[in-house]
Amino acid sequence: MTFTSRFRTSAVAVTLLAVTSVCGGCGAGGATAARICDMAAELHGKVDDVPADVQDRHLGEWHDLIDTAVGADDSGLAAFGEHLDREERQDVSSARVEDLREFACEGEVPRELTSPEP
């Protein structure tokens, strides 16, 4: 392999790595329900039956969970993630984490996705 072909190969690899890290693998499929289920179950264990100030310490994890749900490969989970992003991003709530966990783990669709808008 010549220097020029090694350079081109390296340049292509670096470009692919940069694109993947910027867009999180755009078009390569989103997060699975199993991954979201695991994340939600872990977070729920941290925020269930604790004071609000303790829940607030997990805001970053809540944001990660919402962002992962928005990018879900399941359109229903993605829609619920978008709802949470719009309506509840700044509030870590054990009930909302549990709603997302139940949807991802058990397929229980939250009322926000089944009830008509007022």
Side-chain angles (χ1 to χ4, degrees):
M1 189 180 270
T2 68
F3 174 77
T4 304
S5 62
R6 277 186 286 182
F7 179 76
R8 284 185 189 147
T9 302
S10 295
V12 169
V14 168
T15 301
L16 287 174
L17 181 60
V19 168
T20 301
S21 66
V22 168
C23 74
C26 303
T32 63
R35 178 169 177 227
I36 296 166
C37 172
D38 291 345
M39 290 175 72
E42 182 180 340
L43 181 57
H44 189 260
K46 296 176 183 178
V47 299
D48 191 34
D49 291 327
V50 297
D53 65 316
V54 175
Q55 289 181 350
D56 290 344
R57 291 182 207 149
H58 298 284
L59 189 61
E61 292 170 83
W62 175 235
H63 290 168
D64 291 345
L65 179 57
I66 290 173
D67 294 342
T68 302
V70 167
D73 58 8
D74 176 276
S75 62
L77 272 172
F80 190 48
E82 290 169 2
H83 168 79
L84 293 172
D85 191 39
R86 256 189 336 272
E87 304 295 328
E88 313 219 19
R89 186 166 184 88
Q90 296 308 317
D91 276 333
V92 181
S93 158
S94 174
R96 301 315 281 168
V97 174
E98 179 63 5
D99 287 344
L100 186 52
R101 189 205 62 77
E102 287 177 349
F103 192 8
C105 300
E106 302 165 16
E108 188 174 314
V109 179
R111 62 179 157 52
E112 289 87 354
L113 299 181
T114 58
S115 300
E117 294 289 325

